[in-house]
Amino acid sequence: MSSVMKVLKLFVPVIVALVVYVLPTPEGLSNASWLYFSIFLGVVVGLILEPIPAALVGLVGVGVCIWLKVGPVGSGVDGAQIASKVAVSWGLAGFSNSTVWLIFAAFMIGLGYQRSGLGKRIALFLVKTLGKTTLGLGYAISIADLILAPFIPSNSARSGGTLYPIVNSIPPMMGSYPDKEPRKVGAYLVWVSLAATCVTSSMFFTALAPNLLAMETAVKSGVEPISWFGWFMAFLPAGIILFLLTPFLTYILYPPTLKGSSEAQKWAQEELGKIGKMSIKEWLMIALAVFALVFWIGGDTFGVDATTVALSVMIGMVLLGIISWDDVLGNKSAWSVLAWFGSLVTLAGGLKNVGFLEFIAKIGGEYLGDFDALTAMVGVIVLFYLLHYFFASTTSHVTALLALFITVAMGIDGIDVRELTLFLMLSLGIMGIITPYGTGPSPVWFGSGFVSGKDFWRLGFIFGMLYLVVFLVITIPWVRYVAHAWL
């Protein structure tokens, strides 16, 4: 990227914020509310363009709001300035948030899978077991992602970090390269790998970091939280259908020219032989994973918060030698996410504090009030989903839109806001399939070169619309009439 483009990307968020602020303040909003919204919009543009690291974008936004003393409760009601200490306390509140620390700890758990070698072993075992045919390889990769998903909230780490190196080693053994016979097997495996992680990211609450941010945003918007088990049960029917359908549908719509080979099985067998028997660290990691899953599923029964469980597992990994304290200190991704999400939780809550969301809700409620509740709800879900075409990050999508859509729904008669919020959150994983930049690992798989840009957009549209239709047709009636008791 040229230096001119870098400078341009750096100033675009600032220009957007300034342009919006100088526009006439809409009737019904205070000047302070409009100022806060302009800063928030600038942050969203910054998250999309990323002229600087995303975490720094969020911190800059919080810092500006603290200096201008807008964001806390009451600051946007009549434009009155508030005390500096109040502004600072508001700005730092996100870093004491339990969900933010759950995300941080879960990233460390993902590191434990990598350091112990358990993640690699699981993937290789599945390739060895199911890799006789190309279709079997597709299911093996998908199952590997499914097994890792509940414990690794970064689908970039799970799919792009753990599975990509393994998957990328398979096509060359079969004479398939990005510039030579990519359709032989490589393109098929790449697309299945990405599509599978999008499905599993919706299936488990802890499979996608923005899921956790979304839940916290929903709670701050006045919506009662959904349990880990409730989330899982709500998406389960659609998840099973999409999970089973994805490798097969890819096999039909984007077929590999090589239908079967034993080379992948032989390679996986050799790799498993190299790493040898299960190490003590792997067994310990399994024990900690089972501990986490039990308490995440039964958290309400045991009276234990999910964050407490995740932090306990992180501490356990250090004490048991699975990872070192230096690994914790040196995990830049985890610390970056802590700074990123801590600031975004604060900024998202500020929209409600200054009265902006109530203002939007009133307008949205008036517009959608003419529709029946079910039609309005489906319309909100579809719009929320399709708007992901404009976002290069699920996190920025959540930050920009979720609280806004929740507030709009609150103004529509007949809509169960908690139910609609759940539907919006459940769609966050599957919407990542629609573009080459739609979710964290997308650029990794796109960058492999096996799937052309044209095919990536075409398949993204086909699978994206299929996922959306299955989600609407299956999940809405399932949650309304069957799974509601588990929420």
Side-chain angles (χ1 to χ4, degrees):
M1 183 185 297
S2 68
S3 57
V4 175
M5 284 300 297
K6 289 182 179 179
V7 172
L8 183 61
K9 288 176 67 175
L10 183 63
F11 280 98
V12 166
V14 179
I15 294 171
V16 168
L18 290 175
V19 169
V20 171
Y21 179 63
V22 299
L23 294 175
T25 302
E27 185 177 352
L29 282 179
S30 69
N31 288 333
S33 299
W34 190 239
L35 172 61
Y36 185 86
F37 172 69
S38 65
I39 296 170
F40 183 85
L41 192 60
V43 169
V44 171
V45 174
L47 290 173
I48 294 172
L49 298 179
E50 286 197 27
I52 55 178
L56 185 55
V57 173
L59 289 173
V60 168
V62 170
V64 171
C65 290
I66 292 174
W67 272 98
L68 297 176
K69 300 176 184 176
V70 290
V73 175
S75 61
V77 175
D78 55 8
Q81 292 290 297
I82 59 173
S84 295
K85 289 185 177 180
V86 174
V88 171
S89 296
W90 165 81
L92 298 177
F95 298 97
S96 63
N97 183 275
S98 63
T99 301
V100 172
W101 283 99
L102 172 58
I103 296 170
F104 174 81
F107 264 77
M108 293 299 176
I109 295 173
L111 181 63
Y113 269 84
Q114 295 176 18
R115 288 283 190 270
S116 67
L118 182 60
K120 181 178 181 179
R121 184 182 295 276
I122 291 171
L124 288 172
F125 175 78
L126 289 168
V127 172
K128 170 195 166 186
T129 305
L130 301 174
K132 186 175 182 180
T133 66
T134 305
L135 181 60
L137 274 175
Y139 278 103
I141 294 166
S142 300
I143 293 172
D145 193 287
L146 179 70
I147 293 173
L148 297 175
F151 312 102
I152 304 181
S154 168
N155 60 1
S156 297
R158 181 174 76 249
S159 183
T162 301
L163 294 179
Y164 175 77
I166 297 170
V167 175
N168 199 47
S169 301
I170 298 174
M173 295 187 305
M174 304 178 183
S176 180
Y177 303 89
D179 58 349
K180 181 183 177 182
E181 296 194 75
R183 292 292 300 275
K184 190 173 184 179
V185 66
Y188 170 78
L189 295 182
V190 163
W191 185 258
V192 169
S193 300
L194 175 60
T197 206
C198 290
V199 174
T200 59
S201 293
S202 277
M203 189 175 292
F204 302 101
F205 175 54
T206 46
L208 182 68
N211 290 347
L212 288 77
L213 176 63
M215 186 68 74
E216 183 60 31
T217 301
V219 171
K220 283 185 174 292
S221 298
V223 179
E224 186 181 347
I226 307 294
S227 68
W228 191 99
F229 185 69
W231 179 294
F232 174 71
M233 291 304 299
F235 193 76
L236 185 59
I240 292 174
I241 293 171
L242 294 178
F243 183 81
L244 295 176
L245 188 61
T246 292
F248 178 74
L249 187 63
T250 306
Y251 195 79
I252 300 300
L253 296 178
Y254 200 56
T257 58
L258 180 66
K259 306 302 182 183
S261 172
S262 60
E263 292 299 317
Q265 283 185 308
K266 293 179 180 178
W267 170 78
Q269 179 69 50
E270 292 173 0
E271 290 297 310
L272 284 170
K274 291 178 183 178
I275 61 178
K277 296 181 179 180
M278 290 275 290
S279 67
I280 184 64
K281 288 186 177 181
E282 289 177 89
W283 283 113
L284 291 172
M285 193 65 219
I286 289 175
L288 289 173
V290 172
F291 168 83
L293 189 59
V294 168
F295 280 92
W296 277 339
I297 292 176
D300 292 338
T301 302
F302 298 117
V304 180
D305 184 78
T307 304
T308 302
V309 176
L311 288 172
S312 299
V313 171
M314 183 187 79
I315 294 169
M317 289 192 304
V318 176
L319 295 178
L320 294 171
I322 297 173
I323 61 176
S324 68
W325 183 244
D326 286 339
D327 288 331
V328 174
L329 296 178
N331 192 338
K332 293 181 179 180
S333 296
W335 289 107
S336 179
V337 164
L338 180 69
W340 185 10
F341 278 41
S343 59
L344 292 183
V345 165
T346 297
L347 289 169
L351 283 174
K352 179 177 175 60
N353 293 342
V354 301
F356 185 81
L357 293 183
E358 288 77 2
F359 170 76
I360 294 297
K362 181 178 179 182
I363 296 175
E366 291 175 353
Y367 176 75
L368 295 172
D370 295 334
F371 296 93
D372 65 90
L374 179 59
T375 301
M377 182 174 68
V378 171
V380 169
I381 296 170
V382 171
L383 181 60
F384 183 79
Y385 187 92
L386 295 179
L387 282 174
H388 195 58
Y389 271 106
F390 300 100
F391 290 92
S393 160
T394 310
T395 300
S396 60
H397 188 125
V398 170
T399 304
L401 298 182
L402 183 61
L404 181 64
F405 274 62
I406 291 172
T407 310
V408 168
M410 289 178 175
I412 304 174
D413 291 336
I415 282 188
D416 184 328
V417 177
R418 185 169 183 253
E419 189 176 83
L420 173 61
T421 301
L422 174 61
F423 294 142
L424 296 179
M425 294 191 296
L426 290 175
S427 72
L428 293 172
I430 57 175
M431 67 172 60
I433 195 63
I434 64 179
T435 68
Y437 50 79
T439 191
S442 294
V444 176
W445 294 108
F446 180 65
S448 70
F450 279 102
V451 182
S452 67
K454 179 182 177 181
D455 285 343
F456 222 103
W457 282 98
R458 178 177 63 86
L459 291 170
F461 176 79
I462 294 172
F463 277 74
M465 296 309 103
L466 172 69
Y467 286 3
L468 177 60
V469 170
V470 171
F471 177 74
L472 293 174
V473 172
I474 301 297
T475 305
I476 290 179
W478 166 257
V479 169
R480 294 188 118 192
Y481 303 114
V482 180
H484 204 277
W486 291 306
L487 303 184

